[in-house]
Amino acid sequence: MRVTKHVTTGAALFVVLFASARAWQGQGTQPAGGRGGGPAGPPATHADMEYAPAEPAASNGHKLDLYLPGAASGRAPVVLWTGGSAWMADTGKRTAPGVAAQLLPAGYAVAGVSIRSSSQVQFPGQLHDIKAAVRWLRANAAKYNLDPDRIGIMGDSSGGWTTAMAALTGDAPELEGSVGVTGVSSKVQAAVAFYPPTNFLAMDAWALNKCSAPRCHDDAGSPESRLVGCAIQTCEGKVQAANPLRYVTAADPPLMILHGGSDPLVPHNQGEQLYMALNKACLESVFISLPKAGHGPWNGFLTDDAIREAATIRSTSAAGCSVANPTPFTPTWKTVVDFLDKHLRGAATAK
């Protein structure tokens, strides 16, 4: 049963608190600042391309914008970006220009991807959508001079959850769905997730401040409950199916996680739990913790000294399962580019 679009006044306040991206009026260059807006960036090389037919009709959840680097020599690796909205909007591609501004000069193509909202489809529809976008890019790689063997994904908040789910289910055929292009791999070769929700059932327990209804993750009107179609503490099976930690296997690609210690919406422990699951499985992974950072802005995690103050980095290497303990570190866009270069510009991985 789909969740209705109607919410009470209290739930509406909850939505305002949890939405990490908002639609704005007008078109063209994206505005700077804010959790959802992100920095300004270039116009898309190809805009509003449908990677699958609209569902429902006239919705935007099956569209992507493609940004191509200039004067590329050979096929370019491509990075998908989908922005967060607490799963409440089908506008995830709107925040891609700021990512394109940083990755195009490094020789990466960027695909800003929108997926359907929780009012349009419940989980696993959102995962089916992002996988369909990966398959579409892989199937059309030759047409746009993309490298089908070097695909990465990034996102923030609910888009960070989408990123983690896509990265960790590339070897789970039961989660492919039938959206758009089929018969093509949806695996990605690297992922970067900003402050992702992961283990929904533990969000309130680890919250910075005690919540009160209807502003709790456990409430029936919360973004997480709307995503899975039930109050999360009443349907553990459905909730665990949407938990990326459940899908960690030896086949998973390298994953970088960035999370703020002062995040009032998605507790820091959510990103840390994901990292520890990857660490336990001896997978290539990086966790950057920013004690002063709240719930975004994602670009500030890489550019704002006040947000980056006292940040640390720790990592796990698949080679020998070696671990680097937390050390002081100032993340920048170079950090992200270096991670992508390491894992997308080496030898091609399995499709």
Side-chain angles (χ1 to χ4, degrees):
M1 180 178 70
R2 291 189 178 182
V3 177
T4 62
K5 295 183 180 180
H6 174 74
V7 292
T8 65
T9 300
L13 290 173
F14 186 97
V15 170
V16 170
L17 281 171
F18 275 78
S20 61
R22 294 175 174 83
W24 48 82
Q25 295 181 350
Q27 298 179 355
T29 301
Q30 305 301 329
R35 277 200 293 268
T45 311
H46 304 281
D48 286 330
M49 294 192 291
E50 290 192 344
Y51 62 85
E55 185 184 349
S59 62
N60 296 300
H62 287 160
K63 291 182 179 179
L64 64 79
D65 294 340
L66 188 58
Y67 303 78
L68 299 177
S73 57
R75 292 191 174 187
V78 58
V79 177
L80 288 77
W81 168 268
T82 186
S85 67
W87 302 281
M88 299 290 185
D90 60 359
T91 55
K93 69 186 183 71
R94 285 182 179 267
T95 44
V99 178
Q102 299 294 333
L103 296 190
L104 292 185
Y108 289 92
V110 172
V113 179
S114 292
I115 62 176
R116 287 173 291 178
S117 71
S118 58
S119 66
Q120 295 166 341
V121 67
Q122 289 174 356
F123 177 82
Q126 291 76 15
L127 179 58
H128 292 168
D129 291 350
I130 198 67
K131 284 176 166 289
V134 174
R135 293 194 301 264
W136 186 94
L137 288 164
R138 185 162 273 132
N140 288 277
K143 180 177 181 180
Y144 297 104
N145 203 30
L146 306 175
D147 190 331
D149 297 333
R150 294 177 173 85
I151 299 179
I153 185 169
M154 297 172 57
D156 77 309
S157 194
S158 61
W161 169 88
T162 303
T163 292
M165 288 294 292
L168 299 175
T169 62
D171 57 344
E174 70 277 12
L175 291 173
E176 282 299 305
S178 57
V179 176
V181 175
T182 58
V184 181
S185 173
S186 68
K187 287 184 180 181
V188 298
Q189 284 69 55
V192 179
F194 290 80
Y195 38 94
T198 55
N199 182 7
F200 300 165
L201 298 177
M203 293 181 79
D204 283 343
W206 286 89
L208 280 180
N209 301 300
K210 183 176 175 60
C211 67
S212 58
R215 301 181 184 180
C216 297
H217 295 279
D218 290 345
D219 294 326
S222 76
E224 296 78 23
S225 296
R226 289 165 62 93
L227 176 70
V228 299
C230 50
I232 57 174
Q233 296 293 347
T234 70
C235 52
E236 183 176 355
K238 287 186 177 181
V239 178
Q240 291 299 349
N243 184 346
L245 279 67
R246 173 180 176 176
Y247 302 103
V248 172
T249 72
D252 295 331
L255 205 156
M256 174 182 283
I257 305 155
L258 301 94
H259 214 123
S262 300
D263 193 326
L265 304 183
V266 178
H268 178 269
N269 176 260
Q270 293 285 297
E272 189 170 36
Q273 282 194 46
L274 177 56
Y275 170 72
M276 291 309 299
L278 300 170
N279 168 275
K280 185 177 180 180
C282 296
L283 295 176
E284 199 80 19
S285 50
V286 177
F287 185 69
I288 299 175
S289 176
L290 300 91
K292 301 296 181 69
H295 196 67
W298 50 267
N299 187 58
F301 277 45
L302 305 173
T303 60
D304 189 318
D305 286 340
I307 291 174
R308 298 180 295 179
E309 183 180 352
T312 61
I313 187 171
R314 51 180 152 159
S315 61
T316 301
S317 173
C321 201
S322 61
V323 175
N325 291 322
T327 57
F329 184 74
T330 302
T332 66
W333 272 104
K334 185 176 185 298
T335 306
V336 173
V337 171
D338 286 350
F339 178 81
L340 295 174
D341 282 349
K342 179 179 179 180
H343 300 296
L344 293 184
R345 291 195 184 277
T349 56
K351 297 180 184 178

